[in-house]
Amino acid sequence: MAINMNFTRNLSPNTWTLINSAAIVVVLTILYIISALILHYHIQVLPLLVTDTGVFLLSYFIYKYILEKFIYSQIKLIFKTIHTLKSPRGTKNKEIDLRQDIISNVNKEVLLWAQDKKEEIEELRKMESYRREFLGNVSHELKTPLFNIQGYVMTLLDGGIEDPKVNVEYLQRTKKNIDRMIAIIEDLESISRFETGELQLEMKKFDIVGLIKEVIELLEIKAHKKKIKLKLRVDPDKPIFMEGDKERIRQVLINLIDNSIKYGNEEGNTKISLFDMDENFLIEITDNGIGIEAKDIPRLFERFYRVDKSRSREQGGSGLGLAIVKHIIEAHNQTINVRSTVGVGTTFAFTLKKG
Ligand SMILES: Nc1ncnc2c1ncn2[C@@H]1O[C@H](COP(=O)(O)OP(=O)(O)OP(=O)(O)O)[C@@H](O)[C@H]1O
Ligand SMILES: [Mg+2]
C-alpha cells in the first residue's frame, strides 16, 4: 500500500501508536482465522476478543514506550542545542520539562528559535555594514584635510617657502586643516566616551537664558556674515533655571544655532524660544532656512550623516554635531526631535528639567 508521506508525517506519535497496535491486533486475528480455517478448529469469539484486547494494550504500551524513548532521545538533542544557543534576549534558559511538553512544543520552539536567529543575523549584518560605513567615513573625513596639508607642505618645500605671497597663506591653510582634523577627532572621542558611558555629566542648576545669550554672542559674527538675525523669544533679563550639565548644554545650543546659520538663507532669522511644560522646559531653535526632506529626518542624528555632503563640507561640517547633541540630551534623560519643511525651515526642539 502506498503511504502518503505527508499524511504519515502529520500524525501525532499517539495516533501512530494506536494505528500500529491496531495493525498488530488485526494481523494476529487474521492469522488466527486463517489457521482455524486450515486446521479446521472452531473459532472462539470471546477468548479471541480477550486476547485481542490484551495484545492491543500490551503492544500499545510497549510501542508507546519505545517510540517516545526514541523521539525524546532525538528531540532532546534539538531542544538542548536550541536552549544553549538561544540568544540572551530570547526565551529564558528555563529547565526543560522533557517529559511533559516536548512533543507538542518542539515545532513552536524550533520556529521561534529560527525566527530569533534570523533577527540576530539580520542585526549583525546591519551592525557590520554600519561599522564598515563608519570606518569608511572616518578615513574619508581625515584623508581630505591630510591630503590638503600634504599639498601645502610640498608646495612650500618646492620653493613656496621663499615666496612671501605663498608662504603665510599656505601655512594658514595648513593650520586650518589641522584644526579640522583635531575637531573631528575630538568629536569622535566624545561620542565614543558617551557610548561607553565614560562621560559623566556634571549636573547643577543654571540659568538657560543667560547661557543662550552667551551662545548668541559667540555666533553673532558668523550670523552677521550671512545677515541672519538671532532672536531670543523670551525676556532676556529674566533668568530661567534648569537642572543639567551647563557646558554640555552649551555644546548643544552651539551646534543647533550654528546649524541654523550654516543651513539658513541669507537675511534669514533664527528664533530661540522656551516653553514651560510643567516639569520640563521645551527649548526650540527655529530657522527659515533650506529645510530637510522627510526621508532624511530619521538619519539626521547618525554619525557623519549629512543631507547635502558638498554643501555641509563647504560649511566646515563633518556631520558629527547632531550625533553628539543627541547623546548629550539622552544622557540627561530628555528628548530631542526635529520638524522641517524644505524651503520653509527647520525646528529642533529639546527638553530639559526645571532647576
Ligand atoms: N537647521 C538645519 N537646516 C537644514 N539642514 C540641517 C539643519 N541642521 C542640520 N541639518 C542637516 O543635518 C546634517 C547633520 O548636522 P550635524 O550638525 O550633525 O552636522 P554638520 O553641521 O554638517 O557638521 P558638524 O556639526 O559636525 O560641524 C547637516 O549636514 C545638514 O545637512
Ligand atoms: Mg552641526
Side-chain angles (χ1 to χ4, degrees):
M1 187 177 63
I3 298 168
N4 182 331
M5 288 308 285
N6 277 336
F7 170 72
T8 52
R9 224 178 278 147
N10 288 336
L11 288 180
S12 76
N14 220 12
T15 320
W16 250 112
T17 315
L18 281 171
I19 291 175
N20 282 301
S21 307
I24 290 170
V25 170
V26 169
V27 168
L28 280 178
T29 312
I30 291 171
L31 283 176
Y32 172 73
I33 293 169
I34 291 171
S35 59
L37 288 175
I38 293 171
L39 300 172
H40 302 288
Y41 58 77
H42 190 66
I43 296 170
Q44 292 185 316
V45 180
L46 194 68
L48 177 65
L49 281 179
V50 174
T51 318
D52 275 355
T53 313
V55 169
F56 178 81
L57 289 174
L58 194 69
S59 61
Y60 176 80
F61 287 114
I62 292 175
Y63 209 91
K64 192 170 160 57
Y65 178 75
I66 295 172
L67 191 67
E68 277 190 356
K69 239 188 144 178
F70 172 71
I71 292 175
Y72 288 144
S73 65
Q74 298 300 305
I75 292 179
K76 202 162 83 180
L77 285 175
I78 304 175
F79 246 79
K80 284 200 168 149
T81 317
I82 288 175
H83 278 262
T84 40
L85 286 180
K86 223 164 210 173
S87 65
R89 66 190 178 78
T91 320
K92 307 276 169 302
N93 262 346
K94 58 174 175 117
E95 262 307 302
I96 322 156
D97 186 351
L98 291 174
R99 284 270 140 194
Q100 263 197 1
D101 57 7
I102 193 161
I103 294 177
S104 58
N105 278 352
V106 73
N107 195 33
K108 207 171 73 192
E109 284 272 339
V110 171
L111 284 175
L112 272 175
W113 176 80
Q115 181 62 28
D116 227 33
K117 289 289 128 189
K118 208 175 134 204
E119 281 168 17
E120 248 175 67
I121 290 167
E122 206 53 50
E123 221 165 82
L124 284 173
R125 216 177 268 151
K126 249 192 247 158
M127 271 166 64
E128 176 56 20
S129 84
Y130 189 65
R131 189 191 65 85
R132 233 182 274 145
E133 196 183 318
F134 174 68
L135 276 179
N137 281 331
V138 173
S139 59
H140 183 81
E141 286 308 316
L142 293 178
K143 223 158 58 182
T144 315
L146 206 56
F147 283 163
N148 288 345
I149 293 168
Q150 190 185 38
Y152 299 138
V153 171
M154 299 282 270
T155 315
L156 288 169
L157 285 175
D158 280 351
I161 194 101
E162 312 292 349
D163 184 346
K165 268 191 226 141
V166 169
N167 55 18
V168 177
E169 169 73 15
Y170 273 36
L171 281 172
Q172 263 161 0
R173 285 192 203 175
T174 302
K175 183 184 176 302
K176 214 171 145 190
N177 279 278
I178 290 173
D179 287 347
R180 178 152 176 69
M181 283 175 76
I182 292 173
I184 293 172
I185 288 164
E186 277 177 356
D187 281 353
L188 281 173
E189 252 176 16
S190 50
I191 290 178
S192 85
R193 280 167 67 204
F194 265 117
E195 282 175 357
T196 54
E198 235 175 86
L199 228 151
Q200 296 294 321
L201 296 180
E202 274 183 43
M203 300 294 277
K204 55 177 193 236
K205 199 172 146 177
F206 69 92
D207 166 28
I208 188 98
V209 177
L211 185 63
I212 296 171
K213 282 198 297 187
E214 283 172 32
V215 174
I216 288 180
E217 231 177 86
L218 182 83
L219 294 172
E220 202 116 62
I221 296 171
K222 190 169 182 175
H224 190 71
K225 280 187 191 154
K226 270 179 100 170
K227 299 194 184 73
I228 288 177
K229 287 199 175 70
L230 304 179
K231 298 177 183 166
L232 176 59
R233 302 290 296 267
V234 287
D235 184 350
D237 301 318
K238 210 171 133 203
I240 297 177
F241 290 97
M242 300 286 164
E243 175 81 17
D245 185 326
K246 186 178 174 186
E247 289 318 306
R248 297 281 160 205
I249 299 299
R250 186 194 300 275
Q251 232 179 314
V252 169
L253 289 167
I254 291 177
N255 186 62
L256 295 180
I257 300 175
D258 179 52
N259 280 355
S260 78
I261 302 168
K262 283 199 291 195
Y263 309 108
N265 292 322
E266 292 262 339
E267 294 185 15
N269 59 62
T270 297
K271 294 176 206 155
I272 301 115
S273 327
L274 274 90
F275 302 95
D276 194 333
M277 295 200 338
D278 201 18
E279 267 185 34
N280 296 327
F281 256 98
L282 181 75
I283 298 119
E284 282 197 349
I285 288 101
T286 302
D287 63 59
N288 54 357
I290 58 171
I292 305 160
E293 273 188 62
K295 70 170 173 53
D296 293 305
I297 288 186
R299 300 199 60 189
L300 226 49
F301 295 95
E302 280 177 25
R303 295 175 290 195
F304 291 116
Y305 191 78
R306 284 158 300 188
V307 176
D308 179 347
K309 278 198 170 31
S310 59
R311 176 173 177 147
S312 169
R313 205 169 283 138
E314 209 176 275
Q315 305 280 345
S318 56
L320 292 170
L322 286 177
I324 296 174
V325 162
K326 193 168 181 354
H327 272 299
I328 295 175
I329 298 300
E330 285 180 354
H332 280 80
N333 288 324
Q334 299 294 330
T335 53
I336 177 156
N337 64 57
V338 50
R339 311 189 294 274
S340 189
T341 309
V342 175
V344 177
T346 306
T347 297
F348 280 90
F350 65 94
T351 53
L352 266 188
K353 200 167 179 289
K354 283 183 186 171

